[in-house]
Amino acid sequence: MRHHIKKTALVVAAAASLVLASCSAGSSTSGGGDESPGGGATGGATGGTAGGQEASNASLSIGLVAEPANLDFTKTDGAAIPQVLLYNVYEGLVQLDQKGDIAPGLATSWTVSKDRKTYTFNLTKDAKFTNGKPFTAADAKFSIDRVKKDWTISLKSAMDVVDHAKVVSPTKLQVVLSHPSNDWLYRMTTRVGAMFSRTGVDHLATKPIGTGPYKLGKWTRGDSISLLRNNSYWGDKPYYKTVTFKYFKDPTALNNALLTGTINVIGTVQTPESLGQFENNNKYQVIEGTTNGEVVLSFNNGSGPMKNKKMRQAVRYAIDHKALLDTCWAGRGTLIGSMVPPTDPWYEDLTGLYPHDVAKAKTLLKESGEANETLRLRIPTLPYAVSCGTVVKSQLEQAGFKVKLDQLEFPAAWLSTVFTNADYDMSIIAHVEPRDMGAVFGDPKYYTRYTNPAFSNLLKQADEGTEQEQVTDMKKAAKMLSQDAAADWLFVLPNIIVADKGITGLPKNAISESFDVTGLAGS
């Protein structure tokens, strides 16, 4: 038995200001019988759009804040690249739907063996890359193998569980895992699962070649990236002929661009306190939901004063999270207490583990023996980090800490100094990739430099266990992480989009890496 699901153009936007990480928890697959159903047939090329509107010659402009350093997410970390390219230019075998469930992509259906180690994908026969080459199982095998061999970013570890991929026929691929994994298929909905042409990977930094409904138009560095509708696309054609992502370093300039008609959509509002000017204007629509974007006060667990657990605990007690959220993000967002957003199955509100307690923070600071150390709070020049950084510094100083605040240009300076070299004590960054607790804290070489064998073992158990065991173990891991004060979690960013009134298909929640524009349309 297989489920049949019509392929629609999915609209799952990723918050525009964010950057890092990937994940290691998972989405489970069912496991009953010799083969468990995993997906359904797609709609194929119908000539219309998913929303029922015919493709038009209209153009759309979306304002964002974090421009990609290049267009090769196989070798460059950060969320800005898949935000533009994933689902729009590159497709995977599977992708996330608006509910966050795994849905068909280039795979029309799939089955999972009883031992949960063998996945058999049935692929569409209609897809072509924008270089004219047909998409086949050989390209899928090539793409999966290439993650392990040629990718250099930390997220490549999501493919380590794959023992081998085998071409059964031009439209059938078999992937065998070394052990059961709740996480692997979910990872295939992210950039790790993007499908590449065997003859189209020589110039990924400037010339992405995918099977998606759009292809790269023009990239004007420092200003914008435009996507052009792929008229040879195998599936439903998107409504907009051209979509341009325009980048603004100044949040006020971003707002003014919408007010003056320079853009049609603010991908995510960077000054929530400014929403009144749009909410009270019938020319615009305001959509507010949530994201995967945990705004993390990162600690360097590997060296310096934050290696001391009492220092980390002192910082957590010193932060008044509600006051911080009210001050730096107009009270919009969700307090969490660990590295799990409310949209994940294993979410628990853990804010009570470290309630605001200045007296306790002062006591722990004194006991740590590090009270005379000056903490280097090194933040990227992104609106949420700059706004919240001053509040963090002030609250810590009120508890007796010495703090030096440095703003590092983003992406280059921050990625080099903090992310690559771990030359910091604390930072503030939003990790937006879905289910990223394991990626951020499960790798001792990652910039957080966190090492905890018991935590890593819980992640492993969660990945290999049953669905219920996964939820139980992930909750334990999140609590352990919080109790150990591996970081402080300031809040989860809201998904706040402001757009011209006539645009349809805008998402309430941003739960994937992609700002998927394929389902947007005009009324």
Side-chain angles (χ1 to χ4, degrees):
M1 174 183 177
R2 290 179 175 85
H3 298 302
H4 294 280
I5 306 170
K6 178 175 172 60
K7 177 182 172 73
T8 60
L10 306 175
V11 187
V12 190
S17 59
L18 320 179
V19 279
L20 285 177
S22 173
C23 348
S24 175
S27 177
S28 59
T29 52
S30 53
D34 291 334
E35 287 190 327
S36 58
T42 67
T46 63
T49 68
Q53 293 179 282
E54 291 299 318
S56 77
N57 289 323
S59 61
L60 184 74
S61 186
I62 300 171
L64 304 175
V65 297
E67 182 184 9
N70 61 65
L71 301 181
D72 183 3
F73 54 59
T74 75
K75 297 185 184 302
T76 304
D77 277 292
I81 310 173
Q83 180 181 54
V84 172
L85 300 184
L86 190 62
Y87 296 178
N88 299 319
V89 173
Y90 292 113
E91 294 180 296
L93 301 182
V94 291
Q95 57 189 18
L96 292 181
D97 66 16
Q98 293 187 45
K99 297 178 181 179
D101 295 328
I102 298 173
L106 289 165
T108 59
S109 65
W110 62 93
T111 58
V112 187
S113 63
K114 187 175 181 180
D115 65 3
R116 298 169 53 219
K117 293 198 295 184
T118 301
Y119 289 72
T120 303
F121 296 93
N122 296 307
L123 311 180
T124 177
K125 65 181 186 302
D126 300 320
K128 290 184 178 181
F129 291 99
T130 52
N131 62 2
K133 302 292 185 182
F135 167 73
T136 69
D139 296 292
K141 172 178 166 54
F142 166 78
S143 300
I144 290 170
D145 291 344
R146 192 171 180 273
V147 175
K148 301 181 76 170
K149 293 192 299 184
D150 297 325
W151 286 44
T152 60
I153 66 169
S154 56
L155 303 182
K156 66 175 288 184
S157 61
M159 207 65 82
D160 289 350
V161 69
V162 173
D163 181 80
H164 67 274
K166 175 185 176 182
V167 174
V168 179
S169 77
T171 58
K172 183 168 287 190
L173 177 77
Q174 197 169 78
V175 179
V176 179
L177 309 184
S178 58
H179 59 76
S181 172
N182 292 314
D183 187 55
W184 178 74
L185 191 63
Y186 191 91
R187 292 302 139 219
M188 291 294 286
T189 70
T190 71
R191 72 188 87 169
V192 174
M195 294 290 109
F196 294 89
S197 167
R198 286 167 288 165
T199 59
V201 294
D202 292 338
H203 304 287
L204 293 180
T206 55
K207 296 179 181 178
I209 294 173
T211 60
Y214 284 96
K215 58 185 178 181
L216 179 67
K218 182 180 181 182
W219 181 14
T220 304
R221 291 179 185 265
D223 179 72
S224 61
I225 296 173
S226 67
L227 303 181
L228 301 178
R229 186 165 56 217
N230 175 11
N231 290 323
S232 299
Y233 181 54
W234 64 282
D236 294 336
K237 304 299 189 295
Y239 175 83
Y240 288 104
K241 181 178 181 179
T242 305
V243 177
T244 301
F245 295 91
K246 288 186 65 67
Y247 297 96
F248 300 85
K249 296 201 173 195
D250 176 26
T252 302
L254 176 60
N255 289 346
N256 288 339
L258 181 61
L259 291 168
T260 59
T262 303
I263 61 174
N264 308 107
V265 181
I266 296 176
T268 184
V269 172
Q270 298 299 303
T271 51
E273 67 277 5
S274 70
L275 277 175
Q277 64 187 317
F278 301 111
E279 291 174 324
N280 300 321
N281 191 327
N282 61 14
K283 289 175 57 180
Y284 306 108
Q285 56 179 314
V286 177
I287 297 171
E288 183 170 0
T290 191
T291 73
N292 290 317
E294 305 101 339
V295 181
V296 181
L297 178 60
S298 308
F299 300 154
N300 187 340
N301 289 265
S303 63
M306 299 309 289
K307 189 175 182 180
N308 187 319
K309 183 176 179 178
K310 287 190 175 181
M311 277 290 280
R312 302 196 304 268
Q313 292 177 316
V315 168
R316 294 204 66 189
Y317 280 118
I319 302 295
D320 183 340
H321 296 86
K322 185 178 186 307
L324 178 140
L325 182 59
D326 289 343
T327 303
C328 72
W329 219 241
R332 298 181 189 250
T334 306
L335 304 181
I336 46 175
S338 191
M339 195 69 181
V340 185
T343 48
D344 282 354
W346 36 86
Y347 170 73
E348 278 187 304
D349 181 356
L350 296 178
T351 54
L353 291 179
Y354 284 89
H356 180 50
D357 190 333
V358 174
K360 200 160 191 174
K362 288 181 176 179
T363 298
L364 284 165
L365 175 61
K366 184 177 180 180
E367 291 176 355
S368 73
E370 310 274 5
N372 292 323
E373 294 291 328
T374 298
L375 298 178
R376 298 170 301 155
L377 176 57
R378 315 193 84 172
I379 62 173
T381 52
L382 292 169
Y384 66 85
V386 173
S387 181
C388 297
T390 56
V391 180
V392 167
K393 181 177 187 292
S394 174
Q395 291 190 354
L396 291 181
E397 288 175 341
Q398 290 173 32
F401 289 88
K402 297 177 181 178
V403 181
K404 184 177 186 297
L405 178 62
D406 297 320
Q407 292 187 26
L408 303 178
E409 184 272 331
F410 184 86
W414 188 90
L415 285 173
S416 173
T417 304
V418 175
F419 186 70
T420 301
N421 298 324
D423 185 12
Y424 79 109
D425 298 315
M426 298 185 298
S427 189
I428 297 175
I429 200 72
H431 289 265
V432 301
E433 286 77 4
R435 302 183 183 180
D436 49 8
M437 179 167 60
V440 181
F441 298 101
D443 180 0
K445 296 179 181 179
Y446 201 67
Y447 85 105
T448 53
R449 299 294 196 265
Y450 182 68
T451 304
N452 185 337
F455 172 76
S456 297
N457 189 53
L458 277 173
L459 294 181
K460 185 175 185 295
Q461 289 178 199
D463 189 33
E464 297 181 17
T466 65
E467 292 182 39
Q468 185 52 54
E469 287 169 342
Q470 180 190 24
V471 171
T472 299
D473 287 336
M474 290 302 290
K475 284 183 177 180
K476 289 179 181 178
K479 190 169 185 179
M480 179 183 294
L481 194 69
S482 185
Q483 290 172 328
D484 204 23
D488 189 55
W489 294 270
L490 301 182
F491 58 96
V492 171
L493 278 166
N495 182 46
I496 307 176
I497 295 175
V498 182
D500 293 340
K501 201 82 168 185
I503 298 170
T504 62
L506 292 163
K508 180 177 181 181
N509 295 328
I511 51 178
S512 86
E513 296 183 289
S514 168
F515 197 123
D516 184 347
V517 299
T518 61
L520 303 186
S523 61

